[in-house]
Amino acid sequence: MALSLRRGPKKPSKFEQAAEGSMTLIEHVRELRNRLFIASIGVVVGLIIGFVISQWVFGILKAPYCNLPTSVDSTGSCEFITLAVTDQLMLRLKIALWVGLIIGAPVWLYQLWAFVAPGLHRHERKWAYVFVALATPLFLAGATLAYFVIGHSLAFIMEAGVIGEPTKLEVTSYVGFVMNMLLLFGGAFEFPLLLLMLNFTGVVSARRLLSWWRAVVFLSFAFAAIATPDPGPFGMTLLAACISLLYFIAVGVAFLNDKRKGRGKELYEGLDDDAISELPEERVPVGASDPVEAPTLIESPAPVEKPAPLERRFDDMT
């Protein structure tokens, strides 16, 4: 007797079920719970690794300050001061958390993407991959520029102060200042990517983006003047120039995307909002419609005679 090795139909995965819309609300909640649990495990593993290498990371963060001549005391060492007993431990945990988020980013970003992606179309998923791939190097470029600006900014601030001689900074405030600068510069470098997302989704055209160049350049210098810590022109000009350059690159890519999709040739392009659009000259005559047949009347059934009263039927029987 031959045994049948034929397998049954393959059960669709969770991703396919979510994309088809066949999952119930309870199944969506369970999937969210499972993905949050896996993402938390990735962050916890990264936190443990970050706690181990936190001393090495702190050495990188304190380098801009320790490279200044005014930060070295008479013994030739660069030291910080602490104001509370738990400051050093809390600072190490804070650094470990940031490092854990970075190390565990592939895990929690994938879990987030796997939960959101089934609700997107195929072409939206393709462009989402491209935007996510561009977001990481842009953020790293902004953080690198911030690290470079911090060194020059601290040199100007420390030399222009009233103390002048070797100065010790409070460690938690200094690390918080450096981390805020890294996040601020990295987030600013994501601005051109936001413009590209608006263009690729069809919200704004490349010509409209280019018409904003004066406002974008002005806002870039205003943002750089507020974001950079030193009042000197070096850091402000460098940050504003980088943001403006990325903006014009994004506009160029938007023009290529519009040309690829054939945009910019619409019928009403160039008209003001209050202008009256012209009707097309080609007119199609509308003919008479087909006659409508009258509905067929249904003959009503013959009336049913009512039965005689019971008293009359009894009289007939007698």
Side-chain angles (χ1 to χ4, degrees):
M1 181 177 180
L3 297 176
S4 177
L5 300 178
R6 186 182 303 174
R7 297 182 179 179
K10 183 180 178 181
K11 184 179 179 181
S13 61
K14 293 292 184 181
F15 187 91
E16 296 174 349
Q17 293 180 9
E20 296 173 356
S22 58
M23 293 180 63
T24 62
L25 178 61
I26 300 300
E27 291 176 342
H28 278 291
V29 174
R30 290 175 180 174
E31 183 188 8
L32 178 61
R33 179 197 61 185
N34 296 334
R35 295 197 181 280
L36 287 176
F37 178 73
I38 297 175
S40 302
I41 293 178
V43 174
V44 170
V45 174
L47 177 64
I48 297 174
I49 299 175
F51 188 83
V52 175
I53 64 174
S54 58
Q55 193 67 35
W56 174 74
V57 176
F58 177 71
I60 297 177
L61 296 178
K62 72 177 184 180
Y65 169 71
C66 293
N67 291 335
L68 301 178
T70 55
S71 63
V72 181
D73 56 11
S74 58
T75 60
S77 61
C78 172
E79 297 180 355
F80 293 89
I81 60 175
T82 56
L83 301 179
V85 178
T86 60
D87 280 351
Q88 294 193 37
L89 177 59
M90 296 303 298
L91 179 61
R92 187 169 187 178
L93 292 176
K94 184 184 296 184
I95 295 175
L97 178 60
W98 283 110
V99 176
L101 290 174
I102 296 175
I103 295 178
V107 179
W108 60 265
L109 282 177
Y110 172 76
Q111 297 301 324
L112 176 63
W113 170 253
F115 184 76
V116 176
L120 303 177
H121 297 288
R122 187 178 299 273
H123 66 281
E124 292 175 343
R125 297 174 195 168
K126 179 184 67 174
W127 290 119
Y129 285 123
V130 176
F131 289 142
V132 171
L134 291 176
T136 302
L138 285 176
F139 184 87
L140 293 178
T144 304
L145 179 63
Y147 191 80
F148 178 72
V149 170
I150 288 173
H152 291 76
S153 301
L154 287 176
F156 180 84
I157 295 173
M158 300 297 288
E159 293 175 1
V162 294
I163 299 179
E165 294 299 324
T167 306
K168 292 183 180 181
L169 298 179
E170 202 274 324
V171 61
T172 56
S173 62
Y174 169 77
V175 174
F177 165 77
V178 174
M179 296 301 298
N180 290 334
M181 290 293 295
L182 295 178
L183 294 176
L184 194 63
F185 276 58
F189 270 53
E190 304 292 340
F191 170 68
L193 192 61
L194 176 62
L195 297 180
L196 283 180
M197 292 177 64
L198 294 177
N199 176 259
F200 275 72
T201 53
V203 177
V204 292
S205 62
R207 293 183 180 274
R208 179 61 60 88
L209 290 177
L210 185 60
S211 65
W212 298 343
W213 73 270
R214 293 181 179 86
V216 171
V217 173
F218 173 77
L219 292 177
S220 298
F221 276 89
F223 171 78
I226 299 174
T228 51
D230 63 314
F234 175 76
M236 178 188 70
T237 305
L238 184 60
L239 177 59
C242 291
I243 296 177
S244 301
L245 178 61
L246 290 175
Y247 159 74
F248 285 109
I249 293 176
V251 171
V253 176
F255 269 105
L256 295 178
N257 180 58
D258 288 353
K259 183 178 180 181
R260 181 180 63 87
K261 291 187 175 182
R263 295 176 182 169
K265 299 179 181 180
E266 292 80 6
L267 179 62
Y268 308 117
E269 181 187 7
L271 296 178
D272 297 333
D273 295 337
D274 298 331
I276 301 176
S277 59
E278 298 180 359
L279 295 176
E281 297 181 359
E282 183 180 356
R283 300 177 182 178
V284 179
V286 180
S289 60
D290 298 334
V292 180
E293 297 180 359
T296 304
L297 298 178
I298 302 176
E299 297 180 358
S300 58
V304 180
E305 297 181 357
K306 297 182 179 180
L310 183 59
E311 299 176 354
R312 182 179 179 183
R313 285 184 288 174
F314 181 77
D315 295 339
D316 295 342
M317 293 176 61
T318 56

